[in-house]
């Protein structure tokens, strides 16, 4: 298992454990306690911050803020997935399914499944 995979496995395990923790014991436990809407609010907030950091990075050439904000976005997305009963493996499996498909093919498959 790569270091990245091991890190994601560890993070998923901690996030799953925090679902049953006291709300006062950690930030993540408090998010779970507040419910999905609060978690989604954080995902949206982090997405906006990531977009703004990327726009700044385009002009400055400095990537540290966009990397920091992307880490926050990924983290809160993983909290959301755990809240819904999924984890990073589900996302990795979806990316693997798409690998080798052109974007046009993937979109056509999605549109076919929507009808």
């Amino acid at each position: 298992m790569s270091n990245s995979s091991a890190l994601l496995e560890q993070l998923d395990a901690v996030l799953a454990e925090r679902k049953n923790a006291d709300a006062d014991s950690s930030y993540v436990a408090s998010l779970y306690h507040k419910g999905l809407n609060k978690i989604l609010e954080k995902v949206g907030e982090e997405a906006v911050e990531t977009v703004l950091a990327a726009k700044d990075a385009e002009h400055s050439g400095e990537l540290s803020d966009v990397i920091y904000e992307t880490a926050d976005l990924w983290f809160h997305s993983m909290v959301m997935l755990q809240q819904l009963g999924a984890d990073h493996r589900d996302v990795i499996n979806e990316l693997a399914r798409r690998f080798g498909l052109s974007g046009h093919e993937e979109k056509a498959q999605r549109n076919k499944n929507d009808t």
Side-chain angles (χ1 to χ4, degrees):
M1 182 181 306
S2 73
N3 287 341
S4 298
S5 295
L7 177 62
L8 290 172
E9 291 289 337
Q10 289 174 335
L11 183 53
D12 272 333
V14 169
L15 294 177
E17 180 183 298
R18 300 277 164 84
K19 283 178 84 172
N20 300 316
D22 184 87
D24 294 330
S25 68
S26 76
Y27 170 71
V28 171
S30 73
L31 282 177
Y32 288 135
H33 181 73
K34 292 173 185 172
L36 183 61
N37 283 344
K38 183 61 176 178
I39 295 167
L40 295 176
E41 181 182 306
K42 288 301 297 180
V43 171
E45 176 186 315
E46 298 304 340
V48 169
E49 290 174 3
T50 301
V51 168
L52 294 174
K55 293 296 284 178
D56 289 345
E58 179 182 38
H59 297 290
S60 71
E62 175 55 48
L63 298 177
S64 60
D65 286 346
V66 74
I67 291 168
Y68 181 91
E69 295 301 343
T70 300
D72 280 351
L73 177 58
W74 285 14
F75 176 83
H76 287 89
S77 295
M78 289 180 71
V79 172
M80 174 196 65
L81 290 169
Q82 281 290 331
Q83 177 72 6
L84 296 170
D87 64 27
H88 82 278
R89 287 178 295 255
D90 298 299
V91 177
I92 296 297
N93 290 339
E94 176 59 19
L95 290 171
R97 183 191 70 77
R98 294 179 188 186
F99 196 81
L101 285 179
S102 76
H104 295 298
E105 289 173 311
E106 193 280 328
K107 185 174 180 181
Q109 285 181 1
R110 224 180 329 138
N111 290 339
K112 184 190 282 185
N113 292 335
D114 290 343
T115 58

